[in-house]
């Protein structure tokens, strides 16, 4: 099956500033594909080229077999877009906006159902909506045309934790109906929870494309073992272990970092010296660690 | 035209009506002026063989209405749409932003049409002002004047960078335009040089065409040609250089 979206060697500059240097990736049918990177990494410019809002300087893009610029009319019918700052006239009511947008498409979704699913009130004016409500409405507008592909940019920015989880559930429901979703985000938890695969973009280039678990693994991140020993002991005993890469302490706690075998080795040493590891906690590296590791920089924001 | 276009026109019409400022300044204000002027007996005395001052003011107020809609309401709405990303959002739909512009023009046109009919009715039934003696000529004059003004409003929208600038420039153009339509001093009482300038302004040309039709003839070619030129040139420039973002 050919990919739904295929981006090859995309390059885009604004005047003398390179926004996207060299980006290639493919998105398969029915998957949630994440584009992850900090602000200014080139995520939004990349999806704007995919949406046909900007013309690439170099490279090719195919969406559902269509050229985003040459086949605009056909593409807009099959691609739902949520813009980072997608706005509506202030005096327009929520219900009117959804009804209007649904009239644009050949096979629209039931807009009242969307309204209900997203917990929006029909009579509210756009100007009176909170940031979170505006965000939800823009998601509804991206889905109202029953698109084959939906591109969602900064999906849950400005939502409170509960609304964020509700939105994630909604997106999973949309995917279950066979819609391919591209999710632009700088929010790790969101990418980890929703995405089947993630393209990590940094400074206008794709660093890596992998599953969230694969990304975390690639980072070769170590596990971190944290416990409170039942009595004081010489932590040098642990530092000598070949599986252990570092030993530190925080108050009365000992923190050991190391590879896969570290936990067993540490436990064996402790047992031999009849030390009990109280309040033991083992942390695996997550996407956040992978991000820092793979881009070589801290601060995903 | 399909249902999406009609729905868009209906929505833009609703939004225009909800924009109280446009209705208050564009419709209610000239209507109130009409009623007040109609109540002043001295303005009802004939100044020429056929016309009273009040008669002359009815077409001035009709132009006032169109000018408010075209020069202030339209540019500030559309420039606001551009500023807030409304047009950009429309670009990602099958409908596209051009039809939003068209729907705004149609909505303002319809409001102007209703207001014009209302003014003629109030003036006729309330104060016994005779309707234009050449209705077809009047209709042509009104259509061309409205087209010229909407076209100028679109040009302002196309070229200015922001909503604030659109409102400022629209308002700035509105006052001299209304001056040359004879809002403050009737054109007939202006010095000759100002009368000559007036003939080449959109509202001055509009007034000349209205006056011909009120007096019973089809408007002469000169004011009509001037209105057509304004409408065509401004529309072409606006379409060619419209800033979408």
């Amino acid at each position: 099956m050919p990919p739904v979206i295929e981006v090859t060697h995309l390059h885009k500059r604004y005047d003398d500033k390179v926004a996207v240097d060299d980006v290639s990736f493919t998105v398969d049918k029915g998957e949630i594909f994440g584009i992850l990177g900090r602000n200014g990494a080139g995520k939004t410019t990349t999806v704007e080229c995919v949406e046909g809002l900007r013309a690439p300087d170099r490279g090719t893009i195919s969406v559902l077999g269509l050229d985003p610029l040459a086949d605009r009319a056909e593409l807009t019918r099959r691609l739902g877009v949520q813009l980072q700052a997608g706005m509506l006239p202030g005096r327009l009511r929520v219900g009117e906006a959804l009804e209007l947008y649904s009239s644009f498409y050949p096979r629209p979704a039931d807009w009242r159902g969307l309204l209900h699913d997203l917990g929006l009130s029909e009579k509210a004016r756009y100007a009176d909506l909170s940031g979170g409500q505006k965000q939800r409405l823009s998601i509804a507008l991206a889905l109202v045309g029953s698109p084959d592909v939906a591109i969602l940019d900064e999906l849950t920015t400005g939502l409170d934790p509960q609304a964020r989880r509700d939105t994630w559930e909604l997106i999973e429901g949309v995917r279950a109906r066979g819609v391919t979703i591209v999710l632009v985000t700088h929010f790790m938890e969101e990418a980890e929870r929703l995405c089947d695969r993630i393209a990590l973009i940094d400074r206008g280039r794709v660093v890596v494309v992998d599953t969230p678990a694969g990304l975390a693994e690639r980072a070769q991140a170590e596990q971190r073992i944290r416990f409170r020993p039942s009595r004081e002991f010489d932590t040098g005993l642990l530092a000598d272990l070949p599986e252990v890469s570092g030993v530190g302490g925080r108050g009365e706690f000992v923190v050991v970092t190391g590879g896969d075998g570290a936990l067993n080795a540490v436990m064996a040493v402790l047992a031999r010296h009849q030390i009990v590891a109280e309040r033991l906690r083992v942390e695996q590296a997550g996407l956040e660690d992978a991000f820092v590791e793979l881009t070589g920089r801290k601060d995903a924001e | 035209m399909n249902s999406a276009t009609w729905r868009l026109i209906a929505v833009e019409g609703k939004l225009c009506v909800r924009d109280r400022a446009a209705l208050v300044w564009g419709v209610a204000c000239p209507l109130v002026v009409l009623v007040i002027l109609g109540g002043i007996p001295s303005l009802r005395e004939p100044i020429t063989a056929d016309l009273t001052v009040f008669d002359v003011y009815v077409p001035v107020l009709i132009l006032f209405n169109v000018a408010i809609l075209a020069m202030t309401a339209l540019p500030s709405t559309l420039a606001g749409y551009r500023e807030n990303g409304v047009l950009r959002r429309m670009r990602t739909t099958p409908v596209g932003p051009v039809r939003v512009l068209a729907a705004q023009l149609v909505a303002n046109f319809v409001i102007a049409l209703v207001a014009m009919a209302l003014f003629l009715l109030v003036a006729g039934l309330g104060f016994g002002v005779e309707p234009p003696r050449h209705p077809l000529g009047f209709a042509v004059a009104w259509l061309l004047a409205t087209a010229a003004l909407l076209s100028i409003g679109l040009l302002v929208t196309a070229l200015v960078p922001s909503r604030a600038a659109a409102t400022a420039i629209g308002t700035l153009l509105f006052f001299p335009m209304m001056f040359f339509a004879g809002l403050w001093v009737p054109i007939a009482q202006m010095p000759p040089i100002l009368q000559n300038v007036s003939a080449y302004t959109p509202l001055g040309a509009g007034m000349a065409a209205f006056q011909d039709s009120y007096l019973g003839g089809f408007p002469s070619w000169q004011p009509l040609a001037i209105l057509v030129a304004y409408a065509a040139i401004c529309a072409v420039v606006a379409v060619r250089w419209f800033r979408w973002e």
Side-chain angles (χ1 to χ4, degrees), chain A residues 166-181:
Chain A
D166 292 347
T167 307
W168 289 345
E169 261 170 43
L170 177 90
I171 297 305
E172 282 168 338
V174 171
R175 189 255 298 270
R177 294 203 288 270
V179 180
T180 306
I181 295 169

PDB file of all heavy atoms in Angstrom, chain A residues 166-181:
ATOM      1  N   ASP A 166      -9.445  14.269  27.435  1.00  0.00           N
ATOM      2  CA  ASP A 166     -10.667  14.069  26.637  1.00  0.00           C
ATOM      3  C   ASP A 166     -10.352  14.189  25.148  1.00  0.00           C
ATOM      4  O   ASP A 166     -10.852  13.421  24.327  1.00  0.00           O
ATOM      5  CB  ASP A 166     -11.726  15.114  27.009  1.00  0.00           C
ATOM      6  CG  ASP A 166     -12.257  14.907  28.419  1.00  0.00           C
ATOM      7  OD1 ASP A 166     -11.985  13.823  28.995  1.00  0.00           O
ATOM      8  OD2 ASP A 166     -12.916  15.811  28.947  1.00  0.00           O
ATOM      9  N   THR A 167      -9.512  15.174  24.814  1.00  0.00           N
ATOM     10  CA  THR A 167      -9.160  15.381  23.415  1.00  0.00           C
ATOM     11  C   THR A 167      -8.372  14.191  22.873  1.00  0.00           C
ATOM     12  O   THR A 167      -8.600  13.748  21.753  1.00  0.00           O
ATOM     13  CB  THR A 167      -8.328  16.670  23.276  1.00  0.00           C
ATOM     14  OG1 THR A 167      -9.047  17.727  23.895  1.00  0.00           O
ATOM     15  CG2 THR A 167      -8.087  17.015  21.825  1.00  0.00           C
ATOM     16  N   TRP A 168      -7.470  13.673  23.685  1.00  0.00           N
ATOM     17  CA  TRP A 168      -6.703  12.499  23.251  1.00  0.00           C
ATOM     18  C   TRP A 168      -7.637  11.328  22.946  1.00  0.00           C
ATOM     19  O   TRP A 168      -7.447  10.619  21.970  1.00  0.00           O
ATOM     20  CB  TRP A 168      -5.698  12.089  24.341  1.00  0.00           C
ATOM     21  CG  TRP A 168      -4.571  13.060  24.476  1.00  0.00           C
ATOM     22  CD1 TRP A 168      -4.240  14.036  23.571  1.00  0.00           C
ATOM     23  CD2 TRP A 168      -3.643  13.162  25.558  1.00  0.00           C
ATOM     24  NE1 TRP A 168      -3.161  14.745  24.033  1.00  0.00           N
ATOM     25  CE2 TRP A 168      -2.760  14.226  25.248  1.00  0.00           C
ATOM     26  CE3 TRP A 168      -3.460  12.466  26.739  1.00  0.00           C
ATOM     27  CZ2 TRP A 168      -1.728  14.608  26.089  1.00  0.00           C
ATOM     28  CZ3 TRP A 168      -2.423  12.841  27.577  1.00  0.00           C
ATOM     29  CH2 TRP A 168      -1.563  13.900  27.256  1.00  0.00           C
ATOM     30  N   GLU A 169      -8.645  11.151  23.815  1.00  0.00           N
ATOM     31  CA  GLU A 169      -9.596  10.062  23.574  1.00  0.00           C
ATOM     32  C   GLU A 169     -10.335  10.280  22.263  1.00  0.00           C
ATOM     33  O   GLU A 169     -10.549   9.360  21.486  1.00  0.00           O
ATOM     34  CB  GLU A 169     -10.598   9.972  24.728  1.00  0.00           C
ATOM     35  CG  GLU A 169     -10.227   8.896  25.725  1.00  0.00           C
ATOM     36  CD  GLU A 169     -11.086   8.978  26.977  1.00  0.00           C
ATOM     37  OE1 GLU A 169     -12.321   9.189  26.832  1.00  0.00           O
ATOM     38  OE2 GLU A 169     -10.533   8.849  28.074  1.00  0.00           O
ATOM     39  N   LEU A 170     -10.723  11.532  22.031  1.00  0.00           N
ATOM     40  CA  LEU A 170     -11.425  11.855  20.786  1.00  0.00           C
ATOM     41  C   LEU A 170     -10.561  11.505  19.577  1.00  0.00           C
ATOM     42  O   LEU A 170     -11.030  10.910  18.606  1.00  0.00           O
ATOM     43  CB  LEU A 170     -11.767  13.348  20.776  1.00  0.00           C
ATOM     44  CG  LEU A 170     -12.430  13.815  19.500  1.00  0.00           C
ATOM     45  CD1 LEU A 170     -13.931  13.703  19.612  1.00  0.00           C
ATOM     46  CD2 LEU A 170     -12.023  15.227  19.154  1.00  0.00           C
ATOM     47  N   ILE A 171      -9.282  11.860  19.645  1.00  0.00           N
ATOM     48  CA  ILE A 171      -8.369  11.609  18.516  1.00  0.00           C
ATOM     49  C   ILE A 171      -8.209  10.104  18.292  1.00  0.00           C
ATOM     50  O   ILE A 171      -8.194   9.630  17.159  1.00  0.00           O
ATOM     51  CB  ILE A 171      -6.993  12.259  18.794  1.00  0.00           C
ATOM     52  CG1 ILE A 171      -7.144  13.779  18.913  1.00  0.00           C
ATOM     53  CG2 ILE A 171      -6.002  11.916  17.695  1.00  0.00           C
ATOM     54  CD1 ILE A 171      -7.792  14.444  17.749  1.00  0.00           C
ATOM     55  N   GLU A 172      -8.138   9.350  19.390  1.00  0.00           N
ATOM     56  CA  GLU A 172      -8.041   7.894  19.241  1.00  0.00           C
ATOM     57  C   GLU A 172      -9.303   7.342  18.586  1.00  0.00           C
ATOM     58  O   GLU A 172      -9.246   6.417  17.779  1.00  0.00           O
ATOM     59  CB  GLU A 172      -7.797   7.243  20.604  1.00  0.00           C
ATOM     60  CG  GLU A 172      -6.335   7.379  21.020  1.00  0.00           C
ATOM     61  CD  GLU A 172      -6.078   7.029  22.474  1.00  0.00           C
ATOM     62  OE1 GLU A 172      -7.026   7.078  23.284  1.00  0.00           O
ATOM     63  OE2 GLU A 172      -4.920   6.724  22.810  1.00  0.00           O
ATOM     64  N   GLY A 173     -10.450   7.936  18.927  1.00  0.00           N
ATOM     65  CA  GLY A 173     -11.708   7.533  18.303  1.00  0.00           C
ATOM     66  C   GLY A 173     -11.720   7.840  16.814  1.00  0.00           C
ATOM     67  O   GLY A 173     -12.209   7.062  16.002  1.00  0.00           O
ATOM     68  N   VAL A 174     -11.163   8.986  16.448  1.00  0.00           N
ATOM     69  CA  VAL A 174     -11.109   9.386  15.038  1.00  0.00           C
ATOM     70  C   VAL A 174     -10.217   8.419  14.264  1.00  0.00           C
ATOM     71  O   VAL A 174     -10.549   7.970  13.177  1.00  0.00           O
ATOM     72  CB  VAL A 174     -10.579  10.827  14.917  1.00  0.00           C
ATOM     73  CG1 VAL A 174     -10.315  11.177  13.456  1.00  0.00           C
ATOM     74  CG2 VAL A 174     -11.570  11.808  15.514  1.00  0.00           C
ATOM     75  N   ARG A 175      -9.083   8.062  14.857  1.00  0.00           N
ATOM     76  CA  ARG A 175      -8.185   7.119  14.213  1.00  0.00           C
ATOM     77  C   ARG A 175      -8.857   5.750  14.046  1.00  0.00           C
ATOM     78  O   ARG A 175      -8.689   5.090  13.027  1.00  0.00           O
ATOM     79  CB  ARG A 175      -6.905   6.988  15.037  1.00  0.00           C
ATOM     80  CG  ARG A 175      -5.833   6.183  14.330  1.00  0.00           C
ATOM     81  CD  ARG A 175      -5.686   4.783  14.898  1.00  0.00           C
ATOM     82  NE  ARG A 175      -5.276   4.788  16.274  1.00  0.00           N
ATOM     83  CZ  ARG A 175      -4.019   4.780  16.686  1.00  0.00           C
ATOM     84  NH1 ARG A 175      -3.064   4.768  15.809  1.00  0.00           N
ATOM     85  NH2 ARG A 175      -3.753   4.761  17.963  1.00  0.00           N
ATOM     86  N   ALA A 176      -9.653   5.371  15.040  1.00  0.00           N
ATOM     87  CA  ALA A 176     -10.340   4.085  14.962  1.00  0.00           C
ATOM     88  C   ALA A 176     -11.284   4.034  13.762  1.00  0.00           C
ATOM     89  O   ALA A 176     -11.621   2.965  13.269  1.00  0.00           O
ATOM     90  CB  ALA A 176     -11.101   3.824  16.263  1.00  0.00           C
ATOM     91  N   ARG A 177     -11.714   5.203  13.286  1.00  0.00           N
ATOM     92  CA  ARG A 177     -12.581   5.240  12.102  1.00  0.00           C
ATOM     93  C   ARG A 177     -11.768   5.224  10.810  1.00  0.00           C
ATOM     94  O   ARG A 177     -12.306   5.387   9.733  1.00  0.00           O
ATOM     95  CB  ARG A 177     -13.465   6.501  12.137  1.00  0.00           C
ATOM     96  CG  ARG A 177     -14.468   6.490  13.280  1.00  0.00           C
ATOM     97  CD  ARG A 177     -15.653   7.396  12.996  1.00  0.00           C
ATOM     98  NE  ARG A 177     -15.337   8.816  13.079  1.00  0.00           N
ATOM     99  CZ  ARG A 177     -15.443   9.542  14.199  1.00  0.00           C
ATOM    100  NH1 ARG A 177     -15.848   8.980  15.301  1.00  0.00           N
ATOM    101  NH2 ARG A 177     -15.165  10.819  14.189  1.00  0.00           N
ATOM    102  N   GLY A 178     -10.448   5.070  10.925  1.00  0.00           N
ATOM    103  CA  GLY A 178      -9.623   4.916   9.733  1.00  0.00           C
ATOM    104  C   GLY A 178      -8.999   6.192   9.211  1.00  0.00           C
ATOM    105  O   GLY A 178      -8.427   6.201   8.132  1.00  0.00           O
ATOM    106  N   VAL A 179      -9.106   7.283   9.968  1.00  0.00           N
ATOM    107  CA  VAL A 179      -8.509   8.535   9.529  1.00  0.00           C
ATOM    108  C   VAL A 179      -7.017   8.535   9.875  1.00  0.00           C
ATOM    109  O   VAL A 179      -6.631   8.153  10.972  1.00  0.00           O
ATOM    110  CB  VAL A 179      -9.192   9.738  10.223  1.00  0.00           C
ATOM    111  CG1 VAL A 179      -8.564  11.049   9.768  1.00  0.00           C
ATOM    112  CG2 VAL A 179     -10.683   9.726   9.942  1.00  0.00           C
ATOM    113  N   THR A 180      -6.210   8.920   8.904  1.00  0.00           N
ATOM    114  CA  THR A 180      -4.782   9.065   9.146  1.00  0.00           C
ATOM    115  C   THR A 180      -4.549  10.430   9.776  1.00  0.00           C
ATOM    116  O   THR A 180      -5.105  11.424   9.320  1.00  0.00           O
ATOM    117  CB  THR A 180      -4.013   8.976   7.813  1.00  0.00           C
ATOM    118  OG1 THR A 180      -4.394   7.766   7.162  1.00  0.00           O
ATOM    119  CG2 THR A 180      -2.518   9.005   8.045  1.00  0.00           C
ATOM    120  N   ILE A 181      -3.748  10.464  10.835  1.00  0.00           N
ATOM    121  CA  ILE A 181      -3.590  11.722  11.569  1.00  0.00           C
ATOM    122  C   ILE A 181      -2.113  12.103  11.671  1.00  0.00           C
ATOM    123  O   ILE A 181      -1.266  11.267  11.995  1.00  0.00           O
ATOM    124  CB  ILE A 181      -4.194  11.605  12.989  1.00  0.00           C
ATOM    125  CG1 ILE A 181      -5.711  11.402  12.875  1.00  0.00           C
ATOM    126  CG2 ILE A 181      -3.885  12.851  13.811  1.00  0.00           C
ATOM    127  CD1 ILE A 181      -6.365  11.018  14.166  1.00  0.00           C
TER     128      ILE A 181
END
